[in-house]
Amino acid sequence: MLKIAIQKSGRLYEDSVKLLRECGIELNNGNKQLKTTAFNFPLEVYFLRDDDIPQYVYDGVADIGIVGENVLLEKGKDIERVYRLGFGKCRLSIAVPKSGQYDGLSDLQGRKIATSYAVLLRDFLTKNNISAEIHEISGSVEIAPGIGLADAICDIVSSGSTLFTNGLKEVEIVLESEAILAANKKLSEENKSILKKLLLRINAVKTARNNKYIMLNAPNHQLQNIFKLLPGMKSPTVVNLAEEGWSSVQSVVNKNEFWDVIEKLKKFEAEGIIVVPIEKMVM
Ligand code: PRT
Ligand code: ZN
C-alpha cells in the first residue's frame, strides 16, 4: 500500500484530488476524513497541512506527497522530486512599496525584508551578495511595509492583485514554483512498483491535457504538407474518402501550437476540421 499526503484544504487540494480521480483512483472523502483508502488502487491518502507534507514524506509516515515547490525547498528535506504536476503555479517574489524608487537588487542592501520564506530568501540574497535583514513572519506578510515593519517583502504571488491592493510592486523573482509530486528516498520495492503505476497514469493524464485529437479532410496532393504539420504519436491515420482524390486525416496536436497549426492547415486546403479533447494518452 502506497501512502500519499495531499493538502487538506487550500489551493492545492482540489487539483490534487482531481488528478487522482483522473488517474481512475476513487476516493471516499465525502465527510472530509483525515485519512482515506482508495477503492480500486493500493493507495492510502492522508490530508495534511501543506507545511507538514515534506516532513511526513521525509520521515516515511507518507511515502509520497503533493506539495508546492516553494514549501518543499523552504523546508529543505532530503526527499526526491519525482514529477512536476503543472498546477499551483506561482512565484516567490520580492516586492517593495509602489511609490518608492527601485533600480535593482543593490537597493535592498541593508534593508529589512519580511517573509515566511526565510531560507529561500537568504539563499537568494547570498547568491546576489546582498546583505539585508530578514524578518520572519508567518502570515499577512504583504502588510509589513504599510505598518512600518519592513522596507520590502518576499512572498508568493500569482495574479499580483494582493500586492497591488497593498500598494506594492513586484521587483525580483526568487523562485518559479508549481505543485510537485515528491517521494521518500527509501521506498520499499512494492511501493516503488505502485508509484511506477501511478506515474504511468499521471503521465497519461498530463499528456492528454496537453494534446487534442484532430480530424480533417484534405485533397491528396496536400497530404505530405499536412503530415509535416501533424506528425502525431507515430504517424497520422489516413483513410480514403468516398470522393476521389480526397482523404481524411486523424492525428494529435499540442494544445499550445493548436491555433497556429489550424491556420496552416487551412492554407493547405484542409476542410471539415474537428478537434476533440483526449481523456488519456499513453505514449
Ligand atoms: O492550510 P495550509 O497550511 O495547508 O495552506 P496554506 O494557507 O499555507 O497554503 P495555500 O493553500 O494558500 O497555498 C498552497 C500552495 O499553493 C502554496 O504553497 C503555493 O505553492 C501554491 N500557490 C499558488 C499559492 C498561490 N498560488 C497564492 N496566490 N499560495 C499562496 N498564494 C497567496 C499568497 O500568499 C498571497 O497572499 O495568494 C496571495 C497572492 O495571490 P495573488 O493572486 O493576489 O497574487
Ligand atoms: Zn501552509
Side-chain angles (χ1 to χ4, degrees), residues 31 72 77 83 104 108 111 113 152 159 171 173 192 197 200 208 220 231 238 272 279:
N31 34 6
L72 197 68
K77 298 287 170 215
Y83 201 98
L108 296 173
R111 297 304 181 106
I113 310 174
S159 68
V171 291
I173 295 177
K192 271 187 200 158
K197 284 185 191 156
L200 180 107
N220 289 344
V238 184
E279 196 186 291

Side-chain angles (χ1 to χ4, degrees), residues 6 16 29 68-69 82 87 89-90 96-97 134 139-140 146 152 179 187 211 221 231 236 249 252 263 278:
I6 66 173
S16 303
N29 190 32
E69 199 176 10
V82 179
F87 59 81
K89 287 197 175 175
C90 58
V96 300
I134 297 174
S140 306
L187 292 185
N211 288 279
H221 69 269
V249 179
V252 291
E263 277 167 27
I278 302 173

Side-chain angles (χ1 to χ4, degrees), residues 78-89:
D78 187 22
I79 55 182
E80 197 160 343
R81 278 185 268 172
V82 179
Y83 201 98
R84 302 185 74 82
L85 294 167
F87 59 81
K89 287 197 175 175

Side-chain angles (χ1 to χ4, degrees), residues 77-183:
K77 298 287 170 215
D78 187 22
I79 55 182
E80 197 160 343
R81 278 185 268 172
V82 179
Y83 201 98
R84 302 185 74 82
L85 294 167
F87 59 81
K89 287 197 175 175
C90 58
R91 40 198 198 277
L92 178 66
S93 291
I94 297 178
V96 300
K98 230 183 303 185
S99 50
Q101 210 186 334
Y102 184 85
D103 296 319
L105 269 171
S106 57
D107 285 3
L108 296 173
Q109 193 72 36
R111 297 304 181 106
K112 198 169 179 182
I113 310 174
T115 190
S116 316
Y117 292 89
V119 172
L120 289 173
L121 176 59
R122 190 168 295 118
D123 279 359
F124 177 81
L125 294 173
T126 308
K127 263 186 215 132
N128 288 287
N129 291 319
I130 302 292
S131 96
E133 187 185 333
I134 297 174
H135 187 83
E136 195 167 354
I137 47 180
S138 61
S140 306
V141 174
E142 57 281 344
I143 63 165
I147 57 173
L149 195 67
D151 305 301
I153 66 160
C154 174
D155 199 12
I156 299 294
V157 182
S158 56
S159 68
S161 68
T162 304
L163 292 184
F164 184 81
T165 325
N166 287 282
L168 299 168
K169 62 181 174 194
E170 186 177 1
V171 291
E172 303 289 343
I173 295 177
V174 173
L175 173 78
E176 304 259 11
S177 176
E178 66 186 86
I180 300 277
L181 181 74

